[in-house]
Amino acid sequence: MGKKKTGTLADTLKEQFADPWKLLSETTVFLSRVGELHAWEAQLRGWRSALQSSPKNHHVIQDIRREITEFRKNLRRQGYDLSLAGQNLILEGFRNDASLAEGFTRLVLFIVREYAGAKPCEKIVYITGDDNHVTLAGFLEKRLERSAPGERSDILERHYLWYRRRGPDIVISGADTETKPDFERFEALCAVKSFFFLGALKQLR
């Protein structure tokens, strides 16, 4: 849910020269998506008020930018992936093989419960490719079966999908192999756990 290792020196250096209004907006969106907006609403409102009251005061703007940058750096130290605030997961019904001509690619996604340590955790594993969805699912199952000794992954859900990257957006549709009830459940999960999915799928190109 937005938590995954992220945070680089490059991120911080870039933000030190960014428009503070843009940083404030992105930070607000991020905190809203991870359900932490209420905890920082007063701080965000204070920064917004300071920027509005001193739009041409270079020193005030510089101070606010530094404070927001430090705040974002602290969020990264806690494991939050702030880059996800600029990405969106868009679900668009069902598609068939004709969607290949529209630039879509087959995607098979499993939600698994992984037993690799003291505490089980849920994660997403996926595979993309040109083979049909059933074949891709078989490859993914075999990959999970080759877990390291002492590790085990139980498949909780299987989803057979199409995806296409549109800039910051990942557009996902159900495939013919996906049942309507399964896709409806997938939609519901994406609605409440968007960062869980975006974090797992952000490498899709």
Side-chain angles (χ1 to χ4, degrees):
M1 292 184 294
K3 275 202 169 192
K4 246 189 199 285
K5 169 61 197 132
T6 73
T8 66
L9 180 59
D11 292 325
T12 301
L13 291 175
K14 181 179 178 181
E15 289 169 1
Q16 288 175 351
F17 300 97
D19 178 355
W21 278 111
K22 182 173 184 291
L23 288 179
L24 182 57
S25 175
E26 289 179 352
T27 305
T28 302
V29 169
F30 178 83
L31 291 172
S32 176
R33 285 189 172 185
V34 296
E36 297 288 345
L37 183 60
H38 63 285
W40 301 102
E41 206 158 10
Q43 178 67 76
L44 296 168
R45 191 162 50 244
W47 284 329
R48 190 174 296 108
S49 176
L51 289 172
Q52 289 173 336
S53 61
S54 305
K56 296 183 179 180
N57 189 317
H58 175 72
H59 295 296
V60 170
I61 293 172
Q62 193 173 44
D63 286 344
I64 298 301
R65 183 193 292 116
R66 186 180 65 252
E67 290 176 11
I68 297 175
T69 299
E70 186 63 28
F71 178 72
R72 290 168 65 88
K73 185 161 60 173
N74 286 333
L75 287 173
R76 291 191 182 97
R77 285 177 183 146
Q78 296 173 48
Y80 285 105
D81 187 346
L82 275 71
S83 70
L84 299 183
Q87 299 192 35
N88 299 292
L89 199 59
I90 299 174
L91 303 184
E92 292 186 349
F94 283 79
R95 284 184 161 84
N96 54 33
D97 288 4
S99 61
L100 286 167
E102 301 172 38
F104 282 83
T105 301
R106 292 181 180 88
L107 165 68
V108 174
L109 178 152
F110 292 171
I111 300 175
V112 305
R113 179 171 291 119
E114 187 176 75
Y115 300 86
K119 187 177 180 180
C121 65
E122 286 189 14
K123 64 180 292 186
I124 289 171
V125 295
Y126 67 85
I127 188 172
T128 65
D130 297 327
D131 293 290
N132 65 58
H133 285 89
V134 174
T135 300
L136 289 173
F139 292 152
L140 192 52
E141 288 175 3
K142 284 184 173 61
R143 183 193 301 172
L144 291 175
E145 290 171 0
R146 293 195 297 268
S147 298
E151 296 183 0
R152 188 180 94 245
S153 295
D154 293 340
I155 301 173
L156 305 178
E157 297 193 29
R158 293 173 169 83
H159 294 283
Y160 307 90
L161 310 163
W162 291 96
Y163 88 91
R164 178 183 177 185
R165 171 69 79 168
R166 291 178 184 162
D169 300 333
I170 302 176
V171 182
I172 293 181
S173 298
D176 290 338
T177 314
E178 179 83 352
T179 68
K180 184 177 179 181
D182 283 348
F183 191 66
E184 288 175 348
R185 174 164 173 74
F186 180 74
E187 288 179 307
L189 287 172
C190 289
V192 299
K193 302 173 72 172
S194 62
F195 274 13
F196 176 59
F197 288 93
L198 282 171
L201 301 175
K202 71 176 186 175
Q203 300 302 323
L204 287 178
R205 291 292 178 264

